[in-house]
Short mmCIF file of all heavy atoms in Angstrom, two decimals:
data_model
loop_
_atom_site.label_atom_id
_atom_site.label_comp_id
_atom_site.label_asym_id
_atom_site.label_seq_id
_atom_site.Cartn_x
_atom_site.Cartn_y
_atom_site.Cartn_z
N LYS L 274 1.91 33.48 44.76
CA LYS L 274 0.82 33.41 45.72
C LYS L 274 1.35 33.53 47.16
O LYS L 274 0.76 34.19 48.00
CB LYS L 274 0.02 32.11 45.56
CG LYS L 274 -0.91 32.13 44.34
CD LYS L 274 -1.72 30.84 44.28
CE LYS L 274 -2.37 30.59 42.93
NZ LYS L 274 -3.62 31.33 42.70
N LEU L 275 2.50 32.87 47.43
CA LEU L 275 3.12 32.96 48.75
C LEU L 275 3.47 34.40 49.09
O LEU L 275 3.41 34.81 50.24
CB LEU L 275 4.43 32.16 48.79
CG LEU L 275 4.41 30.65 48.89
CD1 LEU L 275 5.84 30.15 49.09
CD2 LEU L 275 3.55 30.23 50.08
N LEU L 276 3.91 35.14 48.07
CA LEU L 276 4.34 36.52 48.29
C LEU L 276 3.18 37.51 48.13
O LEU L 276 3.38 38.72 48.16
CB LEU L 276 5.46 36.87 47.31
CG LEU L 276 6.78 36.10 47.49
CD1 LEU L 276 7.68 36.31 46.29
CD2 LEU L 276 7.47 36.54 48.78
N ASP L 277 1.99 36.96 47.90
CA ASP L 277 0.80 37.80 47.74
C ASP L 277 0.91 38.72 46.53
O ASP L 277 0.48 39.87 46.56
CB ASP L 277 0.56 38.60 49.04
CG ASP L 277 -0.86 39.11 49.14
OD1 ASP L 277 -1.74 38.53 48.47
OD2 ASP L 277 -1.08 40.11 49.86
N ILE L 278 1.52 38.21 45.46
CA ILE L 278 1.63 39.00 44.23
C ILE L 278 0.70 38.37 43.19
O ILE L 278 0.82 37.17 42.90
CB ILE L 278 3.08 38.99 43.68
CG1 ILE L 278 4.05 39.51 44.75
CG2 ILE L 278 3.18 39.82 42.40
CD1 ILE L 278 5.52 39.32 44.39
N PRO L 279 -0.23 39.13 42.63
CA PRO L 279 -1.11 38.56 41.59
C PRO L 279 -0.31 38.19 40.33
O PRO L 279 0.74 38.78 40.06
CB PRO L 279 -2.08 39.70 41.28
CG PRO L 279 -1.86 40.74 42.31
CD PRO L 279 -0.51 40.53 42.90
N THR L 280 -0.84 37.23 39.57
CA THR L 280 -0.12 36.77 38.37
C THR L 280 -1.00 36.82 37.13
O THR L 280 -2.21 36.69 37.21
CB THR L 280 0.35 35.31 38.54
OG1 THR L 280 -0.74 34.54 39.03
CG2 THR L 280 1.52 35.20 39.47
N VAL L 281 -0.32 36.98 35.99
CA VAL L 281 -0.98 36.88 34.70
C VAL L 281 -0.33 35.72 33.96
O VAL L 281 0.88 35.71 33.76
CB VAL L 281 -0.83 38.18 33.87
CG1 VAL L 281 -1.46 38.01 32.49
CG2 VAL L 281 -1.43 39.36 34.60
N ALA L 282 -1.14 34.72 33.58
CA ALA L 282 -0.61 33.61 32.80
C ALA L 282 -0.85 33.90 31.33
O ALA L 282 -1.80 34.60 30.98
CB ALA L 282 -1.33 32.31 33.18
N VAL L 283 0.02 33.39 30.47
CA VAL L 283 -0.21 33.49 29.03
C VAL L 283 -0.36 32.07 28.49
O VAL L 283 0.22 31.14 29.04
CB VAL L 283 0.94 34.22 28.32
CG1 VAL L 283 0.96 35.69 28.70
CG2 VAL L 283 2.28 33.56 28.60
N TYR L 284 -1.14 31.94 27.43
CA TYR L 284 -1.30 30.59 26.87
C TYR L 284 -1.54 30.64 25.37
O TYR L 284 -2.12 31.57 24.85
CB TYR L 284 -2.45 29.85 27.57
CG TYR L 284 -3.82 30.49 27.42
CD1 TYR L 284 -4.68 30.09 26.40
CD2 TYR L 284 -4.24 31.47 28.30
CE1 TYR L 284 -5.94 30.67 26.26
CE2 TYR L 284 -5.49 32.05 28.17
CZ TYR L 284 -6.34 31.65 27.16
OH TYR L 284 -7.57 32.23 27.02
N SER L 285 -1.07 29.60 24.72
CA SER L 285 -1.37 29.43 23.30
C SER L 285 -2.73 28.75 23.21
O SER L 285 -3.21 28.20 24.20
CB SER L 285 -0.30 28.55 22.64
OG SER L 285 -0.50 27.21 23.01
N THR L 286 -3.31 28.73 22.02
CA THR L 286 -4.65 28.13 21.88
C THR L 286 -4.64 26.66 22.29
O THR L 286 -5.66 26.14 22.73
CB THR L 286 -5.16 28.28 20.43
OG1 THR L 286 -4.13 27.84 19.56
CG2 THR L 286 -5.50 29.73 20.12
N ALA L 287 -3.47 26.00 22.17
CA ALA L 287 -3.39 24.59 22.57
C ALA L 287 -3.49 24.43 24.08
O ALA L 287 -3.80 23.35 24.59
CB ALA L 287 -2.09 23.98 22.07
N ASP L 288 -3.19 25.49 24.83
CA ASP L 288 -3.11 25.41 26.29
C ASP L 288 -4.28 26.12 26.99
O ASP L 288 -4.18 26.47 28.16
CB ASP L 288 -1.80 26.05 26.77
CG ASP L 288 -0.62 25.11 26.59
OD1 ASP L 288 -0.84 23.89 26.51
OD2 ASP L 288 0.52 25.62 26.53
N LYS L 289 -5.36 26.30 26.26
CA LYS L 289 -6.50 27.05 26.80
C LYS L 289 -6.94 26.55 28.18
O LYS L 289 -7.23 27.31 29.07
CB LYS L 289 -7.66 26.95 25.82
CG LYS L 289 -8.78 27.94 26.08
CD LYS L 289 -9.79 27.86 24.93
CE LYS L 289 -11.05 28.64 25.16
NZ LYS L 289 -10.94 29.93 25.79
N ASN L 290 -6.96 25.22 28.34
CA ASN L 290 -7.40 24.66 29.61
C ASN L 290 -6.26 24.09 30.45
O ASN L 290 -6.47 23.27 31.33
CB ASN L 290 -8.44 23.56 29.37
CG ASN L 290 -9.68 24.13 28.71
OD1 ASN L 290 -10.19 25.16 29.14
ND2 ASN L 290 -10.13 23.49 27.65
N ALA L 291 -5.04 24.51 30.14
CA ALA L 291 -3.89 23.99 30.88
C ALA L 291 -3.90 24.48 32.32
O ALA L 291 -4.49 25.53 32.62
CB ALA L 291 -2.60 24.41 30.18
N LEU L 292 -3.25 23.71 33.18
CA LEU L 292 -3.26 24.01 34.61
C LEU L 292 -2.79 25.44 34.93
O LEU L 292 -3.37 26.13 35.76
CB LEU L 292 -2.40 22.97 35.34
CG LEU L 292 -2.56 22.85 36.84
CD1 LEU L 292 -4.01 22.62 37.24
CD2 LEU L 292 -1.69 21.71 37.37
N HIS L 293 -1.72 25.89 34.24
CA HIS L 293 -1.18 27.22 34.57
C HIS L 293 -2.19 28.33 34.27
O HIS L 293 -2.25 29.32 34.98
CB HIS L 293 0.18 27.46 33.90
CG HIS L 293 0.13 27.75 32.44
ND1 HIS L 293 -0.07 26.78 31.48
CD2 HIS L 293 0.27 28.91 31.75
CE1 HIS L 293 -0.05 27.34 30.28
NE2 HIS L 293 0.16 28.62 30.41
N THR L 294 -3.00 28.14 33.23
CA THR L 294 -3.98 29.19 32.91
C THR L 294 -5.12 29.21 33.93
O THR L 294 -5.72 30.25 34.18
CB THR L 294 -4.58 29.00 31.50
OG1 THR L 294 -5.38 27.82 31.50
CG2 THR L 294 -3.50 28.83 30.45
N LEU L 295 -5.37 28.05 34.53
CA LEU L 295 -6.44 27.98 35.52
C LEU L 295 -6.01 28.55 36.86
O LEU L 295 -6.82 29.11 37.59
CB LEU L 295 -6.89 26.53 35.71
CG LEU L 295 -7.37 25.79 34.45
CD1 LEU L 295 -7.68 24.33 34.77
CD2 LEU L 295 -8.59 26.48 33.86
N LEU L 296 -4.72 28.42 37.19
CA LEU L 296 -4.26 28.81 38.53
C LEU L 296 -3.93 30.30 38.67
O LEU L 296 -3.98 30.84 39.76
CB LEU L 296 -3.03 27.98 38.92
CG LEU L 296 -3.30 26.51 39.22
CD1 LEU L 296 -2.00 25.80 39.57
CD2 LEU L 296 -4.30 26.35 40.36
N ALA L 297 -3.56 30.94 37.56
CA ALA L 297 -3.17 32.35 37.65
C ALA L 297 -4.40 33.22 37.89
O ALA L 297 -5.52 32.81 37.63
CB ALA L 297 -2.47 32.77 36.36
N ASP L 298 -4.14 34.45 38.39
CA ASP L 298 -5.26 35.35 38.65
C ASP L 298 -5.92 35.80 37.35
O ASP L 298 -7.12 35.99 37.28
CB ASP L 298 -4.77 36.57 39.44
CG ASP L 298 -4.26 36.15 40.81
OD1 ASP L 298 -5.10 35.89 41.68
OD2 ASP L 298 -3.04 36.04 40.98
N GLU L 299 -5.09 35.99 36.33
CA GLU L 299 -5.63 36.33 35.01
C GLU L 299 -4.92 35.44 33.99
O GLU L 299 -3.78 35.03 34.21
CB GLU L 299 -5.33 37.80 34.66
CG GLU L 299 -6.02 38.81 35.54
CD GLU L 299 -5.42 40.20 35.35
OE1 GLU L 299 -5.48 40.73 34.23
OE2 GLU L 299 -4.86 40.73 36.33
#
Side-chain angles (χ1 to χ4, degrees):
Chain L
K274 284 183 196 280
L275 284 187
L276 294 167
D277 199 22
I278 303 170
T280 47
V281 177
V283 291
Y284 62 94
S285 75
T286 49
D288 281 337
K289 194 172 171 40
N290 297 313
L292 196 54
H293 75 283
T294 68
L295 302 176
L296 290 179
D298 296 283
E299 294 167 62

